[in-house]
Amino acid sequence: MTRNLKRWPVRLASLLACLLFWQVAAHVKLDLGLLTFTYVPTPEAVLDAAWQLLTSSTLLAHLGSSLSRVFAGYATAALVGVALGLLIGRSQWAEDTLLPPLEVLRPIPAVAWIPLAILMFPSSELSMVFITFTGALFPILLNTVHGVEAVDPRLVASARSLGAGRWAILREVVLPGALPSIVTGLAIGMGTSWFCLVTAEMISGQFGIGYYTWESYTLQNYPDIIVGMLLIGVLGMGSSALVKRLGALATPWYRTRRAS
């Protein structure tokens, strides 16, 4: 606890240094040739835009729309990713039949799914949920597979020699052993869900933080663009931290082992 408190001044100093550079670069309109701050708004302009959004009647509508889309897609990805990961990690047949097509789909960026999502789903809302689902699915799936494969085979053999059945081994040996890796995948998946939000809400014509950011770009409201970006970053960081915290509570043995 004391060690973590000692690290906070360094972290705050790092954030302040970034803000100071941003302020100076935007104020003097720094132009480095390949990188220019000519049109980048200052922190004061962004703070003013943030206050206007905070006091507006649309903030809750934007937040509610984005949160519902992200968490619907994320929750579905968590269920599907963990289930498929356990199946692929424990079954050679499932690995041979399911993993190759999933590996082909994995590198496809979220923006490439937009035309197909519009064609596949009857509403734009379901299309946006699907985009956030694809963003979260693969980190959760791959971390689950790696966690299952990393379980010591001797533990499985010992449980089997003591008469444990397939489901008992999965519940008492494989799942606890893979859970730290699964939690890591869930935290990464939450971050990628927010990462895909702007792409997903390009489909929308009404509300959402991603839509707010994209609309600000089309209207050339540069401070509002940064407000949307920072809001997505803060929400993504907070939700990922929440997942990590819940995961730490669910794996006390892993936390104790690391501390020792």
Side-chain angles (χ1 to χ4, degrees), residues 113-138:
W113 284 100
I114 290 179
L116 188 59
I118 294 174
L119 294 175
M120 289 192 305
F121 295 97
S123 69
S124 61
E125 198 66 32
L126 287 175
S127 299
M128 289 182 281
V129 171
F130 173 75
I131 297 297
T132 58
F133 164 81
T134 58
L137 175 64
F138 294 106

Side-chain angles (χ1 to χ4, degrees), residues 140-163:
I140 297 172
L141 171 66
L142 293 180
N143 274 273
T144 301
V145 172
H146 293 160
V148 171
E149 292 178 344
V151 174
D152 193 336
R154 291 173 297 182
L155 296 177
V156 177
S158 298
R160 187 176 290 115
S161 68
L162 293 173

Side-chain angles (χ1 to χ4, degrees), residues 22 46 209 213 224-236:
W22 176 14
V46 173
I209 300 301
T213 306
D224 293 338
I225 296 174
I226 298 181
V227 170
M229 292 168 58
L230 292 176
L231 189 54
I232 291 172
V234 169
L235 290 171

Side-chain angles (χ1 to χ4, degrees), residues 113-257:
W113 284 100
I114 290 179
L116 188 59
I118 294 174
L119 294 175
M120 289 192 305
F121 295 97
S123 69
S124 61
E125 198 66 32
L126 287 175
S127 299
M128 289 182 281
V129 171
F130 173 75
I131 297 297
T132 58
F133 164 81
T134 58
L137 175 64
F138 294 106
I140 297 172
L141 171 66
L142 293 180
N143 274 273
T144 301
V145 172
H146 293 160
V148 171
E149 292 178 344
V151 174
D152 193 336
R154 291 173 297 182
L155 296 177
V156 177
S158 298
R160 187 176 290 115
S161 68
L162 293 173
R166 178 177 299 179
W167 290 108
I169 291 174
L170 179 65
R171 183 179 65 253
E172 302 295 339
V173 179
V174 176
L175 191 57
L179 197 54
S181 182
I182 294 173
V183 170
T184 300
L186 290 171
I188 297 172
M190 177 61 80
T192 53
S193 286
W194 285 103
F195 175 79
C196 294
L197 183 65
V198 175
T199 302
E201 292 184 342
M202 286 170 60
I203 305 172
S204 171
Q206 294 184 356
F207 296 106
I209 300 301
Y211 171 73
Y212 168 82
T213 306
W214 183 254
E215 183 187 41
S216 300
Y217 168 73
T218 58
L219 297 177
Q220 297 184 347
N221 293 332
Y222 300 129
D224 293 338
I225 296 174
I226 298 181
V227 170
M229 292 168 58
L230 292 176
L231 189 54
I232 291 172
V234 169
L235 290 171
M237 180 182 67
S239 53
S240 294
L242 177 61
V243 171
K244 289 181 180 179
R245 179 58 181 165
L246 294 175
L249 294 175
T251 55
W253 66 88
Y254 182 71
R255 190 167 66 252
T256 303
R257 188 180 68 180

